[in-house]
Amino acid sequence: MGLLAALLWGGTDFLVGLNARAVGVKRAVYFGQALGFTIMSLLLIAVPSFIFKSMAAPLNVWLIGIAAAILTVSGALALSKAFALGKASIVAPLVTSYGVVTTLLSWAGGEQISLIQLLCIGLCVLGVILSSIHSDPKIPHTTQASSSIAYALLAAGFYGTSFWLQGHFVLPVLGPVTMLWLAYLVGLIVLVLIVIKIKDGLKIPPLKNCMTLTGASLMNLGGFSSFAWGAVAGSVSVVTVISTMSGGIAAILGYVFFKERLAKVQVLGVVLVLVGALVLHLKT
């Protein structure tokens, strides 16, 4: 399940860039949220026991869930912008550093950070610095390249905070299905308010774009479902470690389909981020 989640999320990251360039960042995220909300609503209608269980949750849990959902949709917007501006081979691995944020928040909440975790955080930070360096004079360091890295790190911050809130306060009470439905609902409301101001924002895109939008949304939903199933059936740490391979998979897809080439120092930076994130998840 962890490997399946990694494959699906890697494919999602790859398609996110295509969708953002084709229909715009905000519209791409909006259509993904709309499809996800529809699917999760149908699931709740088919299995009403999920609803009955979550209705007993206190108000503060719902409010924290809404805050986590807002952070998730903010992360999705930042991630789409990063993929639209930069290379998947850099952006995707950088986003896996959300584990650094989750670990630091856990530490701030009273949990102890081991020396290995501290070293992994240092590796991720060093990797981020190296991945933003262009040592090849033939590859210009454009403003777009710098912006894509900034948006990728912003997305990691949003996702890391959201996952921490969900894991500590929401998922144990609401469960993964209701939380995912809430995330799509809040995201859809936020995106409607944003997209309605764009000319033809709510207009259905051309068929070819609908296919990639639907594919990205279904793979993202499949990734979350695989992750949840694997976490329930086996070890959360093992599933999490394997699922973070998604950044590497998206980077490989970017290289294969778009021939995205990186300088050697950037490759080293990407590797350090991935290794740091993997070991950090394993030791969390």
Side-chain angles (χ1 to χ4, degrees):
M1 287 300 102
L3 181 57
L4 181 59
L7 290 170
L8 291 171
W9 275 337
T12 301
D13 289 345
F14 175 70
L15 289 179
V16 160
L18 293 178
N19 293 333
R21 295 185 187 100
V23 302
V25 172
K26 297 171 183 176
R27 291 184 71 206
V29 179
Y30 161 73
F31 286 110
Q33 293 286 324
L35 181 57
F37 173 72
T38 302
I39 294 173
M40 294 309 298
S41 296
L42 292 174
L43 179 59
L44 286 178
I45 293 172
V47 189
S49 60
F50 290 125
I51 301 176
F52 297 141
K53 176 186 176 182
S54 60
M55 290 306 292
L59 178 61
N60 67 309
V61 173
W62 284 98
L63 292 176
I64 294 174
I66 291 172
I70 292 174
L71 287 169
T72 299
V73 72
S74 300
L77 287 168
L79 181 61
S80 295
K81 186 70 173 180
F83 278 117
L85 293 174
K87 297 179 178 181
S89 47
I90 291 181
V91 172
L94 290 183
V95 176
T96 62
S97 62
Y98 66 81
V100 172
V101 179
T102 304
T103 301
L104 290 175
L105 287 172
S106 297
W107 171 73
E111 293 185 17
Q112 296 294 322
I113 291 186
S114 66
L115 179 60
I116 293 179
Q117 288 176 310
L118 196 59
L119 289 174
C120 289
I121 291 174
L123 271 183
C124 287
V125 173
L126 178 60
V128 168
I129 294 172
L130 293 179
S131 64
S132 63
I133 296 175
H134 288 262
S135 61
D136 189 346
K138 296 180 181 178
I139 305 177
H141 188 80
T142 64
T143 303
Q144 281 196 341
S146 299
S147 298
S148 69
I149 292 171
Y151 278 113
L153 295 177
L154 187 62
F158 285 140
Y159 282 135
T161 306
S162 177
F163 290 155
W164 178 74
L165 288 174
Q166 292 180 50
H168 281 72
F169 305 105
V170 185
L171 286 175
V173 182
L174 294 184
V177 175
T178 305
M179 180 60 228
L180 194 53
W181 173 82
L182 180 63
Y184 278 121
L185 171 63
V186 174
L188 184 59
I189 293 173
V190 171
L191 265 300
V192 165
L193 296 176
I194 294 175
V195 173
I196 200 170
K197 299 177 182 179
I198 302 173
K199 183 180 179 181
D200 297 329
L202 299 177
K203 183 180 179 181
I204 298 177
L207 180 60
K208 64 176 182 179
N209 298 134
C210 284
M211 293 176 64
T212 55
L213 285 165
T214 302
S217 182
L218 291 177
M219 283 195 288
N220 187 40
L221 183 57
F224 275 112
S225 301
S226 300
F227 181 87
W229 188 5
V232 171
S235 168
V236 176
S237 60
V238 172
V239 175
T240 305
V241 167
I242 299 175
S243 69
T244 53
M245 291 172 57
S246 60
I249 292 170
I252 292 171
L253 290 173
Y255 176 81
V256 172
F257 289 97
F258 293 140
K259 304 301 180 184
E260 296 179 349
R261 300 187 181 279
L262 305 177
K264 292 180 180 180
V265 67
Q266 289 179 296
V267 173
L268 176 60
V270 168
V271 171
L272 288 178
V273 171
L274 287 174
V275 171
L278 286 170
V279 179
L280 186 61
H281 283 305
L282 184 60
K283 296 298 180 180
T284 300

